[in-house]
Structure formats: C-alpha cells, structure tokens
C-alpha cells in the first residue's frame, strides 16, 4: 500500500475540497467515494427501481462503470439523498468496496474521501482526517454551491437535508459515518478554504513523517 490519505466527514464539511487539494499537492489520484453511492442511487432511480429494493440497488452497484461517475446529475441535491438511501444496504457497500480498495492500492499513494474510508475501506491508511463543521455552516456552504449550480432551493431545505442525512449516515448499522480512533479531527467551521487546507496539509505532513519511520 502506498501513502493513503483517508478524508472522512459529513456532507459539505469541506472534505472534497481538502481531498482534491491534497491530491494536487502530492500528485496522488483522488477518489470521491460519495460519487459511487450517488451513481447507484441515480442509476437505480432512472431505471424506475425502488431505493429499498436491495437486489436492484446491488445490481446497479455491480454494473456501475467509472465512466458513469462524471455525469452532472450526480452533483444535484436529489442525488445526495438517493445516495444515502442506497448506502444503507450492505450488499451495495460490498459491491463498491473492491473498486475503492484497488484505488487505494495505487503507488505511490491515493486520496479517498467519504464516510467510512478510515474505518472500513482503508483501516491501515497512514493518514486519516475527519473533517467536520457545524450543521448550520455546512448547510450554508452547500446551499451556496447548489444555487451556484442553478438549483432553486432554500437554506432551510438544505439544512433539513443535511440533518436528515447526518442521522441516516451516522445511524446505519453497516459502516456508519464515524471518526476512526486514529483520525485527526479538523473542524472547519471557522476556517476559510485556505486555512482548512493548510491545517489538513500539516496533519498529513505529520503522518508522512511518521510513516514507515
Ligand atoms: O458531498 P456530500 O458530502 O453531500 O455527499 P457525498 O460524499 O457525495 O455522499 C453522498 C452519500 O453517500 C452520503 O450521504 C452517504 O450516505 C453515502 N456515502 C457513504 O455511505 N460512504 C461513503 N464512503 C461515501 C458516501
């Protein structure tokens, strides 16, 4: 295994931006694992499937292609909700697991962001961050992002989405969203993107100095 950087945390905490910037800094490929669940939820819905139909959701996961992950539909508000609905099914998680483990195995390293990367997918990752922020601040960030993408939504709707998703993702039986014992907590509530990235970089540099040392 190369130098895997696991970046977990709740919706709109800033983990995606941090993961991308760390990837650029080290020259590592970056996987947004949420896109896999978004892909499954969107594909299943487009097929007319039911989100609670475990067999249909698993089939959608098993046939998901990397080329399906670039679709703008996956970045919508609705897709986030669909993703968290299918993410509760263990066979769906298992079907997406190999892809993530293989991604993480790339040399000289890889960055993966998600909910269970440091706990379940890559428990041996040498660098783990758990990125969070208050629900109000996360809702504000996500609201601005979605409005920027042209979605007509209110801040209150997004806050409700985020609270519901936090509860579902943190409360599910399989791979609940949680901070790994050896992950470093990074609360970005009061930070600019620049400050958050700088803090993340320092955490990763510390881990790198200890790695194989
Ligand atoms: O961008 P945002 O943080 O809103 O969500 P995302 O990272 O795209 O993830 C969408 C949903 O996928 C989450 O709410 C989780 O239910 C699920 N997910 C997961 O279960 N495990 C992961 N490693 C990543 C995402």
């Amino acid at each position: 295994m190369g130098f895997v950087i696991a970046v977990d945390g709740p919706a709109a905490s800033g983990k995606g931006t941090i993961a991308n910037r760390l990837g650029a800094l080290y020259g590592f490929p970056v996987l947004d694992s949420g896109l896999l669940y978004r892909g499954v939820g969107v594909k299943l819905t487009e097929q007319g499937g039911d989100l609670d139909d475990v067999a249909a959701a698993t089939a959608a996961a098993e046939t998901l292609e990397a080329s399906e992950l670039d679709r703008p539909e996956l970045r919508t508000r609705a897709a986030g909700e669909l993703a968290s609905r299918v993410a509760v099914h263990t066979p769906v998680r298992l079907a997406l697991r190999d892809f993530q483990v293989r991604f993480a195995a790339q040399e000289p390293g890889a960055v993966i962001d998600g909910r269970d990367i440091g706990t379940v997918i890559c428990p041996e990752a040498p660098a783990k961050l758990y990125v969070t922020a208050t629900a109000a601040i996360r809702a504000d960030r996500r609201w601005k992002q979605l409005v920027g993408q042209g979605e007509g939504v209110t801040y209150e709707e997004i806050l409700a989405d985020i609270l519901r998703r936090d509860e579902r993702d943190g409360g599910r039986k399989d791979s609940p969203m949680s901070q790994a014992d050896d992950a470093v907590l990074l609360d970005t509530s009061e930070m600019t993107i620049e400050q958050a990235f700088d803090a993340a970089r320092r955490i990763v540099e510390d881990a790198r100095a200890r790695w194989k040392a």
Side-chain angles (χ1 to χ4, degrees):
M1 185 173 77
F3 188 73
V4 178
I5 306 175
V7 185
D8 289 304
S13 56
K15 63 186 186 309
T17 305
I18 288 173
N20 282 324
R21 297 202 43 178
L22 288 171
L25 177 68
Y26 294 108
F28 293 168
V30 181
L31 175 65
D32 171 358
S33 65
L35 275 182
L36 303 173
Y37 298 89
R38 287 170 179 259
V40 173
V42 168
K43 182 169 172 169
L44 179 62
T45 308
E46 284 174 351
Q47 289 169 344
D50 179 342
L51 296 167
D52 297 324
D53 181 342
V54 182
T58 307
E62 283 169 345
T63 57
L64 192 70
E65 306 269 353
S67 61
E68 294 174 73
L69 302 178
D70 294 331
R71 303 175 56 201
E73 291 89 332
L74 269 49
R75 309 269 177 192
T76 62
R77 172 191 178 200
E81 176 70 13
L82 301 178
S84 103
R85 294 274 307 272
V86 295
V88 302
H89 305 314
T90 293
V92 168
R93 304 198 70 85
L94 281 175
L96 300 176
R97 191 186 166 115
D98 271 7
F99 178 79
Q100 296 173 78
V101 170
R102 274 201 309 277
F103 191 95
Q106 295 178 87
E107 298 284 351
V111 187
I112 309 189
D113 82 70
R115 301 287 187 291
D116 62 339
I117 307 306
T119 50
V120 175
I121 300 293
C122 297
E124 309 299 328
K128 297 183 188 178
L129 285 90
Y130 192 81
V131 184
T132 188
T134 66
I137 285 173
R138 291 187 285 123
D140 188 58
R141 290 177 185 162
R142 182 52 52 90
W143 176 62
K144 287 178 178 144
Q145 179 193 344
L146 290 172
V147 168
Q149 285 174 208
E151 289 210 44
V153 281
T154 66
Y155 167 81
E156 286 73 22
E157 286 170 328
I158 297 305
L159 179 61
D161 281 5
I162 280 195
L163 292 174
R164 187 173 55 246
R165 210 130 65 80
D166 282 358
E167 192 164 315
R168 192 185 293 127
D169 292 348
R172 70 184 173 221
K173 283 206 183 67
D174 189 350
S175 316
M177 169 173 79
S178 69
Q179 183 182 344
D181 292 340
D182 52 351
V184 180
L185 182 67
L186 178 58
D187 185 334
T188 67
S189 299
E190 306 292 329
M191 294 180 180
T192 61
I193 289 174
E194 230 29 73
Q195 288 169 331
F197 172 61
D198 205 53
R201 190 181 51 75
R202 275 184 273 119
I203 293 165
V204 173
E205 283 300 311
D206 279 354
R208 214 166 156 76
R210 281 195 309 272
W211 188 51
K212 291 185 177 169

